[in-house]
Amino acid sequence: MIADELARRARAARPRLGPVRLVAVDGPAGSGKTTLAAELGARGATVLHLDDLYEGWSGLEGSLWPRLSAQVLEPLRRGVPGSYQRYDWTTGTFAEWVDVPVPELLVVEGCGSARRAVDPVAVLRVWVEAPADLRLARGLERDGAEARELWLTWMADEAEHFARERTRERCDVRLDSSGGALVEVADGAAS
């Protein structure tokens, strides 16, 4: 199973974030990143979902990375627990603080998790993809048909982000989840 191999590869790597081995699971919304992250979590990884840190539908850029870096990554680099304030999508505000222990293996999952800023600390960058129509269908099934325009705007924003960051090309592993099962299609991307 791919999750077993990814967990094995990550654990075999030298930690690059203090004592923590960080795996970034990136790719477009609705591609299967959360499913893969859950599989890694079932193998002992601590999982952090960027959906809990975005500042709503326009949160891919802006304060996302500075907050993640200051509140979670920098403390972990020093070997101490981090914490972040969870974004409540219903109220449109930041809510309770969530503690992040110092794990052996941390999976940061979500659009933008494998941006260039993660390169010095990630032991593995994973790209998960699926066709746009399938991703949109998955998103609307989760969020409702009334979220269609929000999804289309997000998809345009993420495409611009991924092009600027060259995310897909920089990832170490690329997976295709269009059929529901993750299949490795490439390996060994250059940084």
Side-chain angles (χ1 to χ4, degrees):
M1 176 167 246
I2 289 172
D4 291 325
E5 175 62 14
L6 294 176
R8 184 200 64 73
R9 284 177 62 178
R11 285 191 171 96
R14 181 182 56 79
R16 298 176 73 186
L17 181 64
V20 179
R21 292 165 179 85
L22 185 141
V23 174
V25 178
D26 208 332
S31 61
K33 298 178 304 299
T34 302
T35 300
L36 177 60
E39 291 174 7
L40 292 168
R43 287 155 180 81
T46 295
V47 178
L48 188 155
H49 301 283
L50 289 186
D51 278 354
D52 290 338
L53 282 104
Y54 300 130
E55 197 167 352
W57 287 98
S58 61
L60 180 57
E61 303 299 344
S63 70
L64 169 66
W65 199 261
R67 282 185 292 105
L68 175 65
S69 182
Q71 297 173 356
V72 177
L73 302 181
E74 181 56 27
L76 294 179
R77 185 192 64 74
R78 295 189 322 264
V80 298
S83 64
Y84 63 89
Q85 198 170 10
R86 186 189 64 80
Y87 185 78
D88 184 323
W89 288 78
T90 304
T91 64
T93 60
F94 285 99
E96 76 280 359
W97 285 86
V98 178
D99 293 332
V100 180
V102 181
E104 172 196 15
L105 184 58
L106 173 66
V107 174
V108 177
E109 172 274 322
C111 298
S113 65
R115 64 185 66 218
R116 292 176 198 271
V118 83
D119 290 353
V121 296
V123 299
L124 195 59
R125 296 160 302 179
V126 181
W127 174 265
V128 183
E129 61 188 36
D133 58 339
L134 175 60
R135 296 186 297 104
L136 179 60
R138 288 173 176 172
L140 296 180
E141 181 178 326
R142 182 189 73 185
D143 297 333
E146 63 278 0
R148 182 179 182 79
E149 288 307 312
L150 294 168
W151 263 85
L152 292 174
T153 299
W154 179 273
M155 291 171 83
D157 290 347
E158 70 185 10
E160 182 180 307
H161 169 86
F162 294 141
R164 183 182 64 252
E165 294 284 329
R166 294 184 48 247
T167 311
R168 185 180 190 277
E169 296 86 350
R170 290 179 23 265
C171 280
D172 305 298
V173 176
R174 296 183 205 131
L175 304 171
D176 178 355
S177 72
S178 59
L182 296 170
V183 179
E184 188 168 353
V185 294
D187 187 14
S191 293

